[in-house]
Amino acid sequence: MTTAVPTHRDIDLSDRNFWARPHEERDAAFAVLRRENPVPWSRPADSDLLPPEQNLKGFWSLTKHEDIRYASRHPEIFSSAEGITVEDFPVEIRMMSQSFIAMDAPRHTQLRGITLDAFKPRNMLRLQDWIQGHARDLISEISHLGEGDFVDLVSVKLPGRIFGSFFGLPPGELHEKTINAAQRTLGWTDPEVRGDLTAVELFVGAVMDLHETVTTLLPERRANPGDDLLSWMVQAEFDGEKMTDDELKAFFTLLAVAANDTTRHASAHAILAFSQFPDQRDLLVADVEGRVDTAVEEVLRWASPLVHMRRTAVQDVTLRGSEIKAGDKVVLWYSSANRDEDIFEDPFKFDIARNPNPHIAFGGGGPHFCLGAALARTMLRSLLTEVYTRIPDISAPEPRYQVANFINGINSLPATWTPERR
């Protein structure tokens, strides 16, 4: 007896249970959509963020690489100002947490300009030194153990340490509280992360903890600015303007989550992929220095740590025969675009020699292209270099995934390796 092949009508991207299914099934479902109905309409997404009587807006989905690039590069048609997730947050919560990623020009241009001033090249060189040093130190701490949960030992700790240096967080309770908040913020859909809290309670509690960190640190950074990102942000300006305190809090929240959660899960997916495809691990180990850069790009394509971003149409537009109306929600499924058969040869193969590799793990271009792309690549490059030079036979093929439609998360990744001699 054979199982019927699903059609696009059988696929419900709004169903939270869909996002608890194995990744292979979800990837297969998106392949069906790309083939049969690449711009489908869905009912309102299952969500705990709004009361049912307010969660009334369905959404269009973009599943093809070309369409996502088009939407990303035409902000005059596809706005970010109404929110960037398929699930709607209450307006006041969105404003306090999503910063300029949920804004359009002109304010988006101004705040991004201020941020770019802080991200000047000499500052980025300092961050790269921190990243390389932290990766080396962390693998030195765990290399002799021979086994452990890679998420707990490395994936959580490495971005946390980098972020702590990044923002000059003092060691101790404030540092731990801040990193914990950053790493639970996006877990509102996952029962394991959420525990007894509601989705809103989890999210708002984490955001308020992050705001409290900024409130604590701002007076000192204004009086005695140091060599850290918060000091740089306090001093940075664009067209004579600086960020307000509320804008600094929202930006800190955005960056805390981006720097911790997405990079945390990307590092776990890297180890998982090389465990599931040992031929590719052997290829990397044979020439780490020569192959690590293309390996990083393939990990980013394969993992798609950020599953989607959302826009809102501000004018009527037709894509592949679907008539999108002004005011409609439009979801850009990066995870689908990174498996698009029209762009990638053999897209379901993990291939660290893939070239070219025009993945859109950091977005499809345009004004919202990820500011942290270079830093994320540096972190993965540094980590993969340390791991596959020093504990190259690490194996971790059995993940425990998060239930989520925004972040491609891994909660646990038990690993074994030959201990490094001291």
Side-chain angles (χ1 to χ4, degrees):
M1 182 176 178
T2 60
T3 302
V5 177
T7 70
H8 70 89
R9 294 181 182 84
D10 303 317
I11 299 166
D12 185 2
L13 300 179
S14 299
D15 184 0
R16 185 161 290 171
N17 290 326
F18 174 85
W19 298 100
R21 290 164 60 183
H23 279 53
E24 294 78 10
E25 291 184 22
R26 286 158 40 183
D27 286 342
F30 274 107
V32 170
L33 291 176
R34 289 193 298 274
R35 183 173 64 249
E36 296 182 6
N37 187 20
V39 187
W41 173 258
S42 296
R43 64 179 176 84
D46 291 345
S47 179
D48 303 320
L49 296 171
L50 291 175
E53 65 273 14
Q54 295 180 27
N55 184 34
L56 302 176
K57 297 193 71 171
F59 59 93
W60 297 98
S61 286
L62 305 187
T63 63
K64 297 286 290 180
H65 191 280
E66 178 184 358
D67 296 340
I68 291 175
R69 280 175 56 85
Y70 176 80
S72 301
R73 292 161 187 260
H74 287 84
E76 75 281 4
I77 303 175
F78 299 95
S79 166
S80 300
E82 298 301 312
I84 49 93
T85 58
V86 64
E87 297 179 51
D88 282 314
F89 283 86
V91 174
E92 62 276 10
I93 295 176
R94 186 178 76 229
M95 292 179 66
M96 67 190 287
S97 61
Q98 295 180 6
S99 188
F100 59 81
I101 198 173
M103 293 180 186
D104 295 326
R107 192 55 179 156
H108 170 266
T109 305
Q110 293 170 334
L111 291 180
R112 190 176 175 98
I114 294 171
T115 305
L116 286 171
D117 183 47
F119 276 72
K120 54 175 66 82
R122 69 173 180 83
N123 293 344
M124 293 305 95
L125 287 174
R126 176 68 183 274
L127 294 178
Q128 290 173 15
D129 290 342
W130 285 337
I131 290 169
Q132 292 163 2
H134 284 307
R136 182 171 55 251
D137 292 346
L138 189 55
I139 299 306
S140 293
E141 292 170 19
I142 66 108
S143 61
H144 68 287
L145 297 177
E147 62 179 1
D149 188 332
F150 191 83
V151 169
D152 291 338
L153 292 175
V154 178
S155 296
V156 169
K157 290 183 178 178
L158 181 58
R161 291 185 184 185
I162 293 168
F163 182 77
S165 296
F166 204 11
F167 274 98
L169 297 179
E173 182 179 350
L174 182 67
H175 182 282
E176 296 305 316
K177 181 180 178 180
T178 303
I179 301 305
N180 178 270
Q183 293 180 341
R184 72 177 190 272
T185 303
L186 299 182
W188 74 83
T189 57
D190 185 71
E192 182 177 338
V193 178
R194 196 169 67 192
D196 296 331
L197 299 175
T198 68
V200 172
E201 286 171 341
L202 174 85
F203 189 84
V204 172
V207 170
M208 294 308 296
D209 283 349
L210 293 170
H211 282 203
E212 184 179 340
T213 297
V214 178
T215 300
T216 300
L217 296 178
L218 269 183
E220 173 64 20
R221 299 304 157 81
R222 283 202 168 103
N224 300 293
D227 200 7
D228 61 84
L229 186 59
L230 188 56
S231 294
W232 302 336
M233 291 304 304
V234 166
Q235 300 172 80
E237 59 181 58
F238 180 75
D239 286 346
E241 286 201 45
K242 295 185 176 184
M243 283 192 184
T244 66
D245 283 7
D246 285 344
E247 287 170 341
L248 284 166
K249 290 175 185 177
F251 174 76
F252 182 84
T253 300
L254 168 65
L255 202 62
V257 174
N260 280 277
D261 227 35
T262 53
T263 49
R264 160 193 168 186
H265 296 304
S267 68
H269 275 286
I271 304 305
L272 172 62
F274 283 111
S275 300
Q276 293 176 327
F277 300 94
D279 61 317
Q280 296 299 300
R281 179 192 62 198
D282 293 345
L283 196 62
L284 176 61
V285 170
D287 184 8
V288 173
E289 183 178 356
R291 295 183 174 131
V292 69
D293 287 328
T294 55
V296 165
E297 298 309 312
E298 182 67 347
V299 165
L300 290 166
R301 182 193 75 88
W302 186 257
S304 296
L306 191 65
V307 178
H308 81 262
M309 290 289 277
R310 170 254 178 127
R311 300 290 186 262
T312 302
V314 295
Q315 57 182 269
D316 295 353
V317 61
T318 300
L319 287 177
R320 298 185 189 269
S322 293
E323 296 182 358
I324 300 170
K325 301 298 183 183
D328 286 352
K329 293 163 65 171
V330 182
V331 180
L332 287 54
W333 295 105
Y334 297 161
S335 57
S336 176
N338 284 334
R339 297 287 193 278
D340 191 338
E341 299 83 354
D342 289 341
I343 303 298
F344 301 100
E345 183 179 349
D346 201 0
F348 291 92
K349 178 183 178 181
F350 180 70
D351 177 11
I352 67 168
R354 186 180 297 277
N355 186 27
N357 190 350
H359 66 78
I360 54 174
F362 298 113
H368 287 279
F369 184 78
C370 179
L371 276 172
L375 292 177
R377 287 183 166 106
T378 299
M379 193 203 82
L380 283 174
R381 185 185 306 115
S382 298
L383 179 61
L384 293 183
T385 298
E386 291 297 322
V387 167
Y388 291 104
T389 300
R390 299 174 59 182
I391 50 173
D393 65 345
I394 186 170
S395 179
E398 299 293 336
R400 189 171 75 252
Y401 291 107
Q402 278 191 8
V403 179
N405 59 23
F406 188 59
I407 291 291
N408 190 9
I410 294 178
N411 284 335
S412 178
L413 190 65
T416 59
W417 62 89
T418 300
E420 186 179 44
R421 289 186 177 182
R422 290 193 160 183

